[in-house]
């Protein structure tokens, strides 16, 4: 798409990266995405291509073998990739969050150990907060770590791990409230453990089981799993940052950049839906003219394009704010909320433009229609975003009466 979702002020390097990714998406992802998705098949060839492009190390610092790029570059790449197939952006996203958490919070030894292999895409990351009984309410986590000599023993069940099967490193948030210096308030009694495992399903490490793929309505191809810890022994040096009790804050930091990423996905999926809608509207004739010539359809296209532009602008703003070193929870929450809601609406409009054919699996919009709802839930639901936005607004606009 030439006209919509342009970003002013990019460097030559950013433009080159984006044009390479766009080319890859057009040639290697779009032609095969719907077929793979319908078969729920892992896109190994695409993942190999992304590895070659260096995308798994896009934001990892150059000293660890990555490209050391900004959150903005990363988000714009994700937008392009999601335009091709949202599941592929899901394969990168949890990896990116874990690499980001390591970069921000890891010990020197942890960075040296993981980041070079993560930059190469040889170690791939998953991150795990949710449990069967909770998603939004992270403070209610029940999985537990208990210290035993130089190790911790972990027990509990986790839910909804994107890349749970294909990853070899999982950042897991558990309760660890035995007398650490930070106290035992819910948010200060959690620890992130870096758990290495074999990719695959079944018992992937003594005490650690990945039961199998969860069957989903969309977002197929990428594996989403449970994770069961039953007496899992993890060395103390695999506590992220080396100190217990900081896990909640580390994970929230990761989720904050993850929210920009989900906003970028919403932008990419909405752009693709617009492309499909505007193309179909010029091909399909009713009452003697292309449906694009009916004002009702033109209005739909106008609304769709406006939403694509607005979501893109907010996503770029949120990424730039984080890159400038400022707190961006308000902007990231707003961008994630708006982009995911608009994405759902743009996809639905493109679906309506397709008439009955939108319901057929032969048309790409059918896949997008099943993918968009995931964005309303992942990295915090709309209600959770509104809670974050509302709280921040009350801080900023505190009544001084
Ligand atoms: C495909 C997929 C992949 C995922 N990948 C991961 C992953 O990689 N790692 C991971 O940790 N998690 C992952 N998740 C989990 C996801 O983050 C949670 O599903 C999400 O946070 C919502 O939690 P929940 O499903 O438990 O819903 P709940 O928290 O039970 O919420 C149910 C409903 O109640 C609303 N609600 C909850 N609390 C409030 C409140 N205080 N006020 C108003 N409304 C409220 C919610 O908005 C929602 O509408 C994934 C989920 C899916 C579907």
């Amino acid at each position: 798409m030439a006209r919509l979702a342009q970003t002013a002020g990019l460097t030559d390097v950013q433009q080159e990266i984006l044009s390479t990714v766009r080319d890859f998406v057009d040639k290697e992802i779009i032609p095969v995405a719907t077929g793979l998705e319908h078969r729920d098949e892992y896109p190994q060839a695409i993942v190999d291509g992304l590895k070659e492009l260096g995308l798994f190390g896009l934001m990892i610092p150059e000293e660890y073998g990555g490209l050391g790029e900004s959150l903005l570059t990363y988000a714009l790449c994700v937008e392009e990739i999601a335009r091709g197939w949202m599941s592929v952006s899901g394969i990168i996203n949890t990896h990116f969050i874990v690499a980001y958490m390591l970069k921000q919070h890891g010990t020197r030894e942890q960075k040296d150990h993981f980041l070079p292999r993560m930059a190469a895409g040889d170690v791939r990351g998953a991150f795990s907060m949710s449990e069967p009984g909770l998603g939004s309410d992270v403070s209610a986590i029940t999985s537990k770590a208990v210290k035993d000599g130089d190790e911790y023993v972990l027990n509990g069940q986790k839910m909804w791990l994107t890349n749970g099967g294909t990853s070899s490193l999982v950042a897991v948030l558990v309760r660890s409230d035995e007398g650490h210096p930070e106290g035992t308030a819910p948010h200060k009694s959690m620890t992130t453990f870096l758990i290495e495992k074999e990719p695959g399903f079944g018992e992937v490490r003594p005490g650690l089981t990945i039961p199998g793929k969860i069957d989903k309505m969309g977002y197929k191809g990428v594996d989403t799993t449970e994770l069961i810890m039953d007496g899992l022994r993890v060395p103390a040096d695999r506590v992220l940052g080396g100190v217990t009790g900081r896990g909640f804050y580390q994970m929230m930091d990761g989720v904050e950049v993850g929210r920009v990423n989900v906003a970028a996905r919403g932008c990419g999926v909405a752009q693709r839906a617009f492309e499909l809608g505007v193309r179909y509207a010029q091909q399909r004739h009713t009452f003697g003219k292309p449906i694009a010539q009916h004002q009702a359809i033109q209005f739909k296209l106008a609304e769709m394009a406006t939403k694509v532009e607005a979501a893109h602008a907010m996503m770029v703003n949120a990424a730039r704010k984080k890159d400038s070193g400022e707190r961006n929870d308000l902007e990231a929450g707003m961008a994630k909320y708006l982009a995911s809601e608009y994405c759902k609406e743009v996809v639905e409009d493109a679906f309506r433009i397709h008439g009955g054919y939108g319901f057929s699996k032969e048309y790409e919009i059918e896949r997008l229609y099943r993918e968009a709802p995931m964005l309303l839930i992942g990295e915090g639901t709309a209600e959770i975003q509104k809670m974050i936005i509302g709280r921040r607004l009350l801080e900023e606009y505190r009544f001084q009466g």
Side-chain angles (χ1 to χ4, degrees), residues 94 127-130 134-136 159-162 216 219 224 374 377 379-381 383-384 387:
T94 62
F127 95 112
S128 174
M129 293 196 296
S130 305
L134 65 102
S136 309
M159 186 73 190
W160 298 118
L161 279 82
T162 303
K216 298 166 293 191
Y219 199 42
T224 309
M374 152 61 188
I377 306 294
E379 312 290 353
T381 62
E383 289 72 27
I384 297 303
M387 280 163 60

Side-chain angles (χ1 to χ4, degrees), residues 273-295:
F274 176 79
E275 287 171 19
L276 297 172
V278 76
R279 186 171 73 195
Y280 188 85
Q282 294 167 82
Q283 291 168 332
R284 181 72 173 174
H285 287 68
T286 68
F287 302 94
K289 53 186 176 185
I291 59 171
Q293 295 306 324
H294 298 302
Q295 195 181 51

Side-chain angles (χ1 to χ4, degrees), residues 96-161:
F96 153 76
I97 293 180
V98 175
Y100 172 83
M101 284 166 58
L102 268 162
K103 182 181 85 153
Q104 296 297 109
H105 307 287
T107 63
R108 182 80 215 184
E109 184 276 329
Q110 289 167 350
K111 290 180 197 180
D112 288 344
H113 183 72
F114 290 112
L115 287 179
R117 287 181 297 144
M118 291 185 87
D122 295 334
V123 166
R124 297 232 305 283
F127 95 112
S128 174
M129 293 196 296
S130 305
E131 296 185 355
L134 65 102
S136 309
D137 186 7
V138 178
S139 65
I141 277 179
T142 59
S143 296
K144 227 176 147 64
V146 175
K147 191 135 202 249
D148 182 22
D150 287 342
E151 294 181 321
Y152 284 85
V153 181
L154 275 58
N155 284 288
Q157 188 176 350
K158 291 291 185 179
M159 186 73 190
W160 298 118
L161 279 82

Side-chain angles (χ1 to χ4, degrees), residues 8-275:
L10 296 181
T11 63
D12 289 348
V13 173
Q14 285 175 314
Q15 282 175 13
E16 201 183 311
I17 293 173
L18 283 173
S19 110
T20 308
V21 172
R22 170 163 279 247
D23 201 44
F24 181 82
V25 168
D26 286 337
K27 291 193 181 124
E28 310 293 336
I29 300 186
I30 289 180
V32 297
T34 301
L36 287 167
E37 202 267 355
H38 287 164
R39 295 194 297 279
D40 197 3
E41 191 176 319
Y42 190 75
Q44 190 56 56
I46 294 174
V47 170
D48 292 343
L50 295 176
K51 252 168 122 172
E52 248 173 65
L53 292 178
L55 278 196
F56 286 102
L58 196 62
M59 264 189 84
I60 294 176
E62 284 170 309
E63 60 175 309
Y64 297 107
L67 298 176
E69 271 297 325
S70 62
L71 180 60
L72 177 63
T73 314
Y74 179 78
L76 294 174
C77 288
V78 166
E79 183 180 38
E80 293 290 352
I81 291 169
R83 183 183 142 263
W85 184 13
M86 195 180 93
S87 294
V88 179
S89 62
I91 290 172
I92 302 177
N93 182 38
T94 62
H95 176 86
F96 153 76
I97 293 180
V98 175
Y100 172 83
M101 284 166 58
L102 268 162
K103 182 181 85 153
Q104 296 297 109
H105 307 287
T107 63
R108 182 80 215 184
E109 184 276 329
Q110 289 167 350
K111 290 180 197 180
D112 288 344
H113 183 72
F114 290 112
L115 287 179
R117 287 181 297 144
M118 291 185 87
D122 295 334
V123 166
R124 297 232 305 283
F127 95 112
S128 174
M129 293 196 296
S130 305
E131 296 185 355
L134 65 102
S136 309
D137 186 7
V138 178
S139 65
I141 277 179
T142 59
S143 296
K144 227 176 147 64
V146 175
K147 191 135 202 249
D148 182 22
D150 287 342
E151 294 181 321
Y152 284 85
V153 181
L154 275 58
N155 284 288
Q157 188 176 350
K158 291 291 185 179
M159 186 73 190
W160 298 118
L161 279 82
T162 303
N163 300 306
T166 41
S167 56
S168 42
L169 170 65
V170 189
V172 182
L173 186 64
V174 301
R175 192 163 289 291
S176 59
D177 46 5
E178 337 87 273
H180 52 69
E182 307 249 0
T184 51
H187 298 99
K188 293 187 173 179
S189 61
M190 289 192 207
T191 297
T192 306
F193 283 89
L194 301 166
I195 298 177
E196 289 168 88
K197 69 173 184 66
E198 287 299 317
F201 300 97
E203 195 171 21
V204 288
R205 168 179 171 161
L208 181 68
T209 301
I210 306 285
K213 277 167 47 165
I214 297 169
D215 200 10
K216 298 166 293 191
M217 73 183 257
Y219 199 42
K220 289 172 185 273
V222 57
D223 50 294
T224 309
T225 73
E226 294 172 49
L227 174 148
I228 297 164
M229 299 173 287
D230 183 12
L232 171 66
R233 303 190 78 86
V234 183
D237 62 8
R238 287 297 167 257
V239 167
L240 178 63
V243 182
T244 57
R246 297 190 178 159
F248 182 84
Y249 302 100
Q250 294 162 343
M251 284 272 175
M252 289 304 127
D253 189 23
V255 164
E256 208 169 274
V257 289
R259 281 185 184 139
V260 177
N261 173 294
V262 172
R265 281 199 234 180
C267 294
V269 174
Q271 275 174 52
R272 185 65 187 156
F274 176 79
E275 287 171 19

